[in-house]
Amino acid sequence: MLVVKEVTKSFDDLPVLNNIGFQIADNEIVALIGPSGCGKSTLLNIISGLEPLDIGKIEYSGDAISYVFQDDRLLQWRSVWDNIRIVNNTINENEISELICDVGLKGFEKYKPNQLSGGMKKRCGIARAFYYKSKLLIMDEPFQGLDYCLRQEMLKMLLRVWNRRKQSVLFITHEIDEALTVAGRIVVMSKRPGTILQEFNLKGIEDRSLSSLEINNIRQQIVSSLT
Ligand code: ADP
Ligand code: MG
């Protein structure tokens, strides 16, 4: 679905990405984890064609990409409903209602962004990204700045919506526990210039809590590769 091949990138004489390669299959959630400044956002800009690469290649079988950014980027003068509706030319009221319900915003359809809490804005941004039909959804540190409990709730909500709609997701984060909660696979990047250090397959691991031996083991491996 998405193949990132040997991507290398510098900004002037600052090397940022070095020989990055990984793949995302249909309906898979891949978490890309790496320290701040290692080139994660640069890589997603390259994947989406906003930034040219120096060496390498991106192969994507879809024609559009959806995003959830760190900041919510909602239209301030439009309601929750309209912020979601506007990204798609064909209006499917049932689908919008279902998404609003899935993300937990039922009853708030008419609210404007300035009447919503930070968590509610994120929910709206996620509903919007899923309503914008594409094969790939990229989330760039979407829950950064939220408190621990709210982040856990958001991750659960993301999995709930994804389970019903099954789309490929590239989830970018520097929080190991976020990756361990949602990912089918985890790709670990080094500090800048970012290279791929390791990949972990988590498919089939039902218990994602830290009390799970398997999860704890993967966590330890990620921590030691990053330190
Ligand atoms: P991350 O998202 O992993 O925190 P970024 O991709 O934002 O990292 O940044 C990686 C490095 O590339 C940083 O050192 C940053 O200063 C540099 N960088 C990012 N964008 C630009 C740009 N447009 N021009 C010059 N340097 C940039
Ligand atoms: Mg970033």
Side-chain angles (χ1 to χ4, degrees):
M1 212 278 307
L2 179 81
V3 185
V4 176
K5 277 188 181 163
E6 296 167 15
V7 168
T8 296
K9 169 81 182 171
S10 297
F11 287 111
D12 299 320
D13 53 2
L14 184 78
V16 174
L17 298 170
N18 180 20
N19 197 23
I20 298 280
F22 67 94
Q23 303 194 8
I24 305 181
D26 283 336
N27 307 330
E28 184 181 41
I29 302 183
V30 173
L32 183 68
I33 180 164
S36 275
C38 76
K40 301 182 295 298
S41 295
T42 303
L43 179 60
L44 92 77
N45 288 337
I46 289 173
I47 292 171
S48 53
L50 294 172
E51 191 73 65
L53 40 69
D54 299 338
I55 305 173
K57 204 171 171 189
I58 305 293
E59 291 171 0
Y60 174 46
S61 65
D63 49 13
I65 296 178
S66 318
Y67 294 95
V68 176
F69 297 97
Q70 217 167 304
D71 50 340
D72 53 71
R73 300 196 195 184
L74 298 174
L75 301 173
Q76 295 304 317
W77 61 94
R78 290 196 187 261
S79 65
V80 165
W81 179 280
D82 283 340
N83 263 287
I84 298 168
R85 182 190 63 81
I86 203 161
V87 297
N88 208 321
N89 288 332
T90 46
I91 302 172
N92 182 337
E93 299 206 346
N94 287 340
E95 192 184 355
I96 299 174
S97 292
E98 191 182 276
L99 271 168
I100 286 179
C101 207
D102 275 350
V103 299
L105 282 180
K106 194 168 164 44
F108 297 95
E109 291 83 351
K110 294 194 172 133
Y111 279 53
K112 303 257 170 70
N114 67 3
Q115 298 170 302
L116 302 174
S117 70
M120 291 160 96
K121 288 181 203 171
K122 300 270 181 205
R123 290 171 196 272
C124 184
I126 286 171
R128 178 180 60 177
F130 275 100
Y131 189 58
Y132 179 76
K133 308 261 166 27
S134 71
K135 289 178 84 172
L136 177 65
L137 167 60
I138 295 181
M139 309 180 82
D140 191 7
E141 308 205 28
F143 306 136
Q144 213 197 359
L146 300 182
D147 65 63
Y148 177 80
C149 292
L150 192 50
R151 245 172 38 214
Q152 294 306 310
E153 212 182 299
M154 291 290 154
L155 293 166
K156 273 196 215 139
M157 180 268 295
L158 170 64
L159 283 176
R160 193 170 60 232
V161 182
W162 175 80
N163 266 315
R164 282 163 67 101
R165 303 182 65 94
K166 294 285 180 188
Q167 197 173 354
S168 303
V169 178
L170 177 57
F171 185 92
I172 295 168
T173 182
H174 63 252
E175 298 280 348
I176 299 174
D177 294 344
E178 287 192 355
L180 289 169
T181 306
V182 295
R185 267 187 315 122
I186 299 180
V187 177
V188 184
M189 269 171 84
S190 70
K191 60 181 195 286
R192 189 184 61 76
T195 59
I196 304 292
L197 293 174
Q198 271 178 312
E199 265 194 51
F200 297 93
N201 193 342
L202 288 83
K203 288 186 194 107
I205 307 179
E206 294 289 328
D207 179 6
R208 296 301 182 94
S209 64
L210 277 180
S211 52
S212 148
L213 271 182
E214 262 171 307
I215 288 295
N216 212 359
N217 183 12
I218 294 172
R219 189 175 199 285
Q220 293 303 331
Q221 290 184 61
I222 296 175
V223 169
S224 52
S225 72
L226 286 173
T227 46

